[in-house]
Amino acid sequence: MGHFPHGASVRSLSHYGQILIADKFQRYDYHNATKNLEEYGQSSPPEIDISSISQVPISMFVGKLD
């Protein structure tokens, strides 16, 4: 953890936090109604419909000594 969050942008981490706080999968919130309106055509970020996402390959890697 000494180099966390190496390779991640501040905006990506902020967006992840927004998703956790809002408890819904949504686009990035600019916390500015005018900017959100400019980007999305509405004053708040739209929710992302994940119901149509299927057959996404998922892998799990486990190390016994981690």
Side-chain angles (χ1 to χ4, degrees):
M1 296 287 296
H3 298 288
F4 180 80
H6 180 74
S9 71
V10 172
R11 181 172 161 173
S12 292
L13 293 174
S14 173
H15 186 211
Y16 179 66
Q18 290 175 2
I19 290 169
L20 292 176
I21 291 167
D23 197 29
K24 59 184 175 181
F25 197 57
Q26 64 184 16
R27 302 284 305 263
Y28 182 78
D29 188 354
Y30 291 95
H31 297 290
N32 179 313
T34 304
K35 180 67 174 168
N36 283 335
L37 192 59
E38 183 181 302
E39 290 293 320
Y40 309 124
Q42 58 192 51
S43 60
S44 60
E47 198 164 338
I48 299 170
D49 180 20
I50 60 172
S51 65
S52 63
I53 299 172
S54 64
Q55 299 192 11
V56 177
I58 299 174
S59 298
M60 183 173 174
F61 299 91
V62 179
K64 291 183 178 182
L65 301 177
D66 283 350

